[in-house]
Amino acid sequence: MPHLIAPSLLSANFLNLASDIEMVNNSFADWFHVDVMDGHFVPNISFGFSIISQIKSIARKPLDVHLMIANPDNYVDAFKKAGADNLTVHYETCTHLHRTVQSIKEAGMKAGVVINPHNPVELLTDIVADVDLVLIMSVNPGFGGQKFIQSSLNRISRLKDLLIQKNSKALIEIDGGVDTTNAKTLVEAGVDVLVAGSAVFGAQNPTATIRKLKELSN
Ligand code: DX5
Ligand code: ZN
């Protein structure tokens, strides 16, 4: 499967969100990456249901929703209603992760699990067979525009081995500090989905940058 591109709307221009969404609709991007932050689990607050529903009303590609919130279990149905296609929860926020993953699937969404840079990917050994995607944070979650943490590369190969060992079909997604200079290395290491925020929306030509991320050119 060719790798997928998921531009993160966190770095979009909120005064012109509709035109940024239209740009993604008409680009080589595959998904919209939608970051939800609550000011508890991460030291930043982004946006919630009403914005997501409005994004959904004009998006022509799936919404890949990354929850950086405490108690995500309380909001699974609400995110489905708002238009999430993939719902990804942090390992660090779920005491009963297996139950959360099942409830996401029962609500009719693809289920993802995401893990912070300090936690070994092996913590996911007994859940990878149950999820549709695993997201590796390559920065500490909370803000766009941070520097890629190099040890994430090793985490990708370890996760890849784990998925093979557990016969899991989960996609490997990477989020944080992704740009046209490291995209190729990441895909070669086993990444299926590249999330990119500032690299896309901070570029002079976002459409061309998405294309470069898809074609792995520099
Ligand atoms: C960070 C978010 C990311 C963020 C990535 O907590 O999860 O999705 O938008 O931004 P860049 O690509 O600028 O690192
Ligand atoms: Zn994200």
Side-chain angles (χ1 to χ4, degrees), residues 8 33 35 66 68 135 137 175 195:
S8 167
H33 186 77
D35 290 298
H66 172 192
M68 286 159 274
L135 173 50
M137 285 311 304
D175 186 6
V195 175

Side-chain angles (χ1 to χ4, degrees), residues 120-122 153-163:
V121 293
E122 288 74 15
L153 269 175
N154 171 270
R155 293 161 64 70
I156 295 162
S157 17
R158 276 159 47 217
L159 176 60
K160 185 98 198 159
D161 290 346
L162 192 59
L163 297 187

